[in-house]
Amino acid sequence: MADTLELSHWINGEKVGGDRPAESLNPSDTRDVVARTPDGTPADVDAAVQAARAAFPAWSEASPEVRSDILDRASNLLMERREQVGRLLSREEGKTLAEGIGETARAARILKYFAGEALRLHGQNLMSVRPGVEIQTYRQPVGVFGLITPWNFPIAIPAWKAAPALAFGNTVVIKPAGPTPATAEALVAILHEAGLPRGVLNMVIGRGGVGQAIVDHPGVDGVSFTGSQGVGAGVAMGAAKRQARVQLEMGGKNPLIVLDDADLDRAVAIALDGSFFATGQRCTASSRLIVQDGIHDRFVAALAEKLRGLKVGDALDPETNIGPAVSEDQRETSYRYIQVALEDGGRVITGGDRPQLDKPGWYVRPTLIADTAASMRINQEEVFGPVASTIRVSSYEEALEIANGVEFGLSAGIVTSSLKHARDFQRRARAGMVMVNLPTAGVDYHVPFGGTKKSSYGPREQGFLAADFFTQTKTAYSWS
Ligand code: UN1
């Protein structure tokens, strides 16, 4: 078994926090303790915010080249070490080794992208309505950002929040998710190794109290959060109370429509990836498969056949297709929803049982449930596991109405060879991201990311729109 890491907070460029009462466990084999960690307090958050505030003037006034170079160096270091960091990620989170290495490479590319964006902040010159008056708008750093990140992308999401915050001259306090502190720490350590000045990026490890202390701290100017809808609503209220800016990315109940004219093999491959890869633990996962009559039975049979061939196992075993759930809680949530779907009249086509492995881990069998109605709980509430249900429809219009009939709106997909339906779906799907003949999950790293309705709140993340949240615009008037 690999070594247990002894983690610390990062405050003002130093590792602090001697007591380590908490543990992160390997979900593939719970005898393996990945890391022992401190359990942060509001006092730790306060120290981190003070450090971030103290570091802000020099960092925000530094040449963008300084910020760009550090992000670029960190990107190169992370890319060189993607196998090692990816292995840690898979050991701690449970996605397969290929997925863990892929996510680490993606985090490296995000750092590289924002190394470039640091140099591309631009404003505008505008005419005034008053003769002789000139107007410019330009973007300035905001101050200190609190970043509260989830366990399901334990390095990519910390990178996609921290990189734009830092690139545009802000300083940061980050709280990594409880189950995955070691992976987030690897990113923070690499950024320091790349030359980040002390206090610019701080990390406090801990439970919900740490997140709350960040949201409530008067020295935090903005909060970016990815996680569940319930916690997100509280973050928004806490931030609004003291007029801090806030950005939330929350759940999804993403539909994938399969029309009669779809290429069957492609539809099956898209559903397999979107619904089940990364153990279904993506907010962009397609959990509702809305399938037209004429292809329904062939699609269900072919997808079930593929699912039966997937190997559920230890994330670090190269043969594994589906790693475990991240925690016992997440595993039980999947099985609870399978039960609820059965009670409501759904039919398990494949899965539903518990895989028997030779080691203690939080494994879930990929499960496909057919004959469900759009109004059932399995089709309204987020499961966040390798579980998908099918809904039979007779027309595109019926499919669209069901696709839009949930409180979430993150990502939505359609598989069709009809240009007319594809274009119509792009316009009318009530989701922040629309996919035609592509999985709902697995997005590019350099374009805007976010949803509608209860999935998101506040400005978009990533790509060229990240500057909207991580800078503030100044409008300057002059007369001479
Ligand atoms: C992806 O599908 O590539 O937490 C990214 C999540 C999302 C990221 C999904 N914020 O699952």
Side-chain angles (χ1 to χ4, degrees):
M1 226 162 261
D3 291 345
T4 297
L5 303 172
E6 302 289 333
L7 297 187
S8 308
H9 307 306
W10 278 86
I11 297 176
N12 204 26
E14 318 242 323
K15 297 187 190 187
V16 296
D19 251 20
R20 296 190 175 86
E23 290 179 336
S24 80
L25 300 182
N26 177 347
S28 300
D29 184 342
T30 54
R31 295 167 300 188
D32 174 25
V33 179
V34 179
R36 269 187 271 276
T37 73
D39 187 11
T41 63
D44 297 319
V45 170
D46 187 52
V49 174
Q50 302 296 348
R53 289 231 76 86
F56 178 70
W59 182 248
S60 58
E61 283 160 28
S63 159
E65 252 177 10
V66 170
R67 301 196 287 264
S68 176
D69 285 350
I70 290 170
L71 291 171
D72 189 48
R73 271 199 296 277
S75 169
N76 293 339
L77 287 170
L78 192 56
M79 195 58 102
E80 275 164 26
R81 293 179 204 161
R82 64 185 180 279
E83 306 250 337
Q84 177 198 333
V85 177
R87 175 168 285 273
L88 173 64
L89 191 167
S90 294
R91 181 180 165 216
E92 194 177 44
E93 198 270 351
K95 63 180 69 173
T96 64
L97 191 54
E99 289 167 339
I101 294 170
E103 184 189 329
T104 306
R106 170 173 174 173
R109 295 206 183 272
I110 290 168
L111 296 176
K112 184 79 75 183
Y113 173 81
F114 283 106
E117 285 295 277
L119 300 169
R120 278 185 215 113
L121 264 195
H122 51 80
Q124 291 175 309
N125 270 303
L126 297 109
M127 274 195 307
S128 170
V129 294
R130 287 169 281 173
V133 173
E134 287 176 17
I135 303 176
Q136 280 107 36
T137 65
Y138 49 92
R139 291 178 181 273
Q140 292 189 308
V142 178
V144 175
F145 277 96
L147 310 180
I148 302 174
T149 59
W151 47 261
N152 67 329
F153 283 90
I155 199 159
I157 292 183
W160 93 34
K161 293 185 191 296
L166 299 173
F168 302 139
N170 306 284
T171 57
V172 168
V173 176
I174 184 166
K175 178 210 173 284
T180 52
T183 311
E185 201 270 348
L187 175 70
V188 172
I190 280 178
L191 278 156
H192 281 91
E193 190 181 333
L196 207 62
R198 55 171 51 221
V200 169
L201 173 62
N202 306 274
M203 179 176 77
V204 181
I205 301 171
R207 288 174 287 177
V210 168
Q212 192 65 49
I214 289 174
V215 170
D216 291 340
H217 200 294
V220 173
D221 300 289
V223 180
S224 180
F225 166 89
T226 299
S228 68
Q229 211 264 319
V231 178
V235 169
M237 272 183 314
K241 226 174 358 199
R242 49 180 202 80
Q243 298 180 9
R245 50 176 70 195
V246 65
Q247 170 183 66
L248 310 176
E249 291 298 342
M250 300 169 287
K253 192 69 204 169
N254 309 296
L256 178 73
I257 295 177
V258 179
L259 295 184
D260 282 350
D261 61 15
D263 177 294
L264 180 66
D265 291 344
R266 184 145 187 114
V268 168
I270 287 170
L272 191 65
D273 177 336
S275 304
F276 298 97
F277 289 179
T279 318
Q281 297 180 135
R282 295 185 282 189
C283 56
T284 45
S286 347
S287 52
R288 296 181 296 144
L289 306 172
I290 304 170
V291 190
Q292 204 175 355
D293 265 341
I295 196 170
H296 179 277
D297 294 356
R298 282 178 295 139
F299 173 80
V300 169
L303 180 57
E305 177 73 32
K306 287 273 189 235
L307 289 174
R308 288 186 200 105
L310 293 180
K311 183 168 185 290
V312 177
D314 190 317
L316 297 177
D317 175 351
E319 306 271 282
T320 293
N321 304 114
I322 304 286
V326 76
S327 65
E328 186 174 4
D329 246 27
Q330 286 300 132
R331 180 188 65 186
E332 292 313 310
T333 303
S334 285
Y335 283 107
R336 213 169 39 245
Y337 272 105
I338 294 169
Q339 193 54 38
V340 167
L342 289 180
E343 284 162 15
D344 286 349
R347 185 164 56 95
V348 168
I349 300 297
T350 178
D353 60 322
R354 292 176 186 254
Q356 301 302 322
L357 276 93
D358 59 357
K359 53 184 81 171
W362 293 309
Y363 298 99
V364 181
R365 180 88 62 205
T367 300
L368 182 64
I369 304 169
D371 302 336
T372 67
S375 58
M376 287 180 186
R377 281 182 63 198
I378 190 75
N379 289 321
Q380 292 291 326
E381 298 170 23
E382 188 172 43
V383 179
F384 225 66
V387 179
S389 44
T390 60
I391 304 169
R392 189 192 283 265
V393 292
S394 55
S395 68
Y396 165 72
E397 284 297 331
E398 185 188 357
L400 178 69
E401 193 183 323
I402 289 173
N404 286 338
V406 291
E407 62 176 20
F408 296 108
L410 188 57
S411 181
I414 189 165
V415 193
T416 180
S417 53
S418 153
L419 180 62
K420 178 167 164 270
H421 286 142
R423 293 287 300 145
D424 188 77
F425 187 69
Q426 283 186 342
R427 278 190 297 272
R428 291 167 68 204
R430 293 191 57 207
M433 295 171 294
V434 190
M435 312 296 190
V436 174
N437 296 325
L438 289 169
T440 56
V443 300
D444 279 21
Y445 59 85
H446 65 302
V447 293
F449 178 95
T452 60
K453 297 193 268 185
K454 290 253 162 71
S455 290
S456 297
Y457 184 77
R460 286 284 181 259
E461 294 197 276
Q462 296 218 79
F464 51 90
L465 290 188
D468 287 350
F469 185 66
F470 289 108
T471 65
Q472 62 200 345
T473 294
K474 181 167 280 179
T475 310
Y477 293 78
S478 60
W479 179 86
S480 51

